[in-house]
Amino acid sequence: MAENSKVGDGDGGGDGVSASLADAAKQHGHSTAAGAGVVLTGEYRLPRSSVALPLQALGKGSSSVFTAPLAGTLQQINVLDQFHGTWLPDIKACNTASAICGYLAPALAVVAAQATVAPCSASSGQDSPASEALPSAVELAAVLRNVAAVRPHVRDAMTFVRDCRERYVAAHRCRFAAARDAKAYAKAWVANYEISDYIKHLVSRSTEAAASWRAARTTATTTA
């Protein structure tokens, strides 16, 4: 995961708040100093039996009643530092906040999906069944630590959110009377609904691309 991630509500944020997140990151062992590695290698494990969830969290009653301990292990594998200078060119280009957890989260999800879902079979034109030999957590972490693979998706998410916010500002000028209001909105943390909108955008784009591919293949087959 991109450690110390926090997704805002879309109304706050800005670099002032992002700075406090950077301070929190440093306290947790992350350095924003030049030369510090963008790849994180820390891992944490916790027996699930040591964690009991309040039933209220599941919508089933009083918080004084807890679920029975579950078997298994909770594991956190850190992969990339969201506060590293590697991301600065993208942050500046897209005019976003310096805390980029809201962009890293969907970017890592896309890369993880690409690593675990079998691609379309060009030979049959049908979706291939998911491979039984899925990557292990360690293997997947290695994929997610590949900055070159993750960064384009981070930039794509940043561009999508920036464009959506710019359209919103243009359509609601009365809510952004002062230039600082529009600037603060541009640099606000990414809201959950914005991440959801971006994922839906990706699904739509993927569906359209698949339809175009199938249509082109059908045309080529008919011509042949």
Side-chain angles (χ1 to χ4, degrees):
M1 66 168 58
E3 195 170 5
N4 296 305
S5 295
K6 178 178 178 61
V7 179
D9 60 9
D11 297 321
D15 273 351
V17 181
S18 298
S20 66
L21 281 181
D23 290 340
K26 291 178 184 179
Q27 293 174 9
H28 285 80
H30 297 288
S31 173
T32 55
V38 63
V39 173
L40 302 176
T41 57
E43 294 187 25
Y44 305 92
R45 293 173 180 268
L46 182 69
R48 292 188 67 177
S49 58
S50 67
V51 179
L53 294 176
L55 290 183
Q56 186 179 44
L58 305 177
K60 296 181 180 179
S62 171
S63 59
S64 62
V65 180
F66 292 82
T67 61
L70 300 174
T73 301
L74 298 175
Q75 182 177 11
Q76 173 180 310
I77 302 177
N78 300 332
V79 291
L80 296 173
D81 183 357
Q82 66 162 316
F83 297 107
H84 193 268
T86 293
W87 316 108
L88 285 178
D90 304 301
I91 290 171
K92 292 180 179 179
C94 295
N95 193 33
T96 187
S98 56
I100 64 167
C101 46
Y103 305 109
L104 266 174
L108 292 172
V110 170
V111 174
Q114 292 175 341
T116 56
V117 178
C120 228
S121 171
S123 60
S124 65
Q126 301 294 323
D127 290 340
S128 301
S131 171
E132 295 182 1
L134 293 174
S136 66
V138 173
E139 291 170 335
L140 184 56
V143 173
L144 298 179
R145 287 178 178 134
N146 184 344
V147 177
V150 174
R151 187 171 179 177
H153 298 289
V154 171
R155 182 63 172 264
D156 189 59
M158 287 180 172
T159 301
F160 175 83
V161 172
R162 179 200 63 192
D163 292 349
C164 287
R165 291 180 177 182
E166 288 180 350
R167 287 194 295 270
Y168 184 83
V169 170
H172 301 82
R173 290 292 184 186
C174 60
R175 298 189 62 181
F176 301 92
R180 66 175 179 274
D181 295 333
K183 181 179 179 180
Y185 179 54
K187 289 182 173 290
W189 294 342
V190 183
N192 289 333
Y193 73 84
E194 289 177 308
I195 295 177
S196 177
D197 287 347
Y198 177 62
I199 295 298
K200 287 188 288 186
H201 164 72
L202 291 180
V203 171
S204 175
R205 191 168 66 184
S206 176
T207 301
E208 291 174 359
S212 297
W213 178 84
R214 288 190 174 92
R217 187 173 186 278
T218 299
T219 300
T221 302
T222 302
T223 302

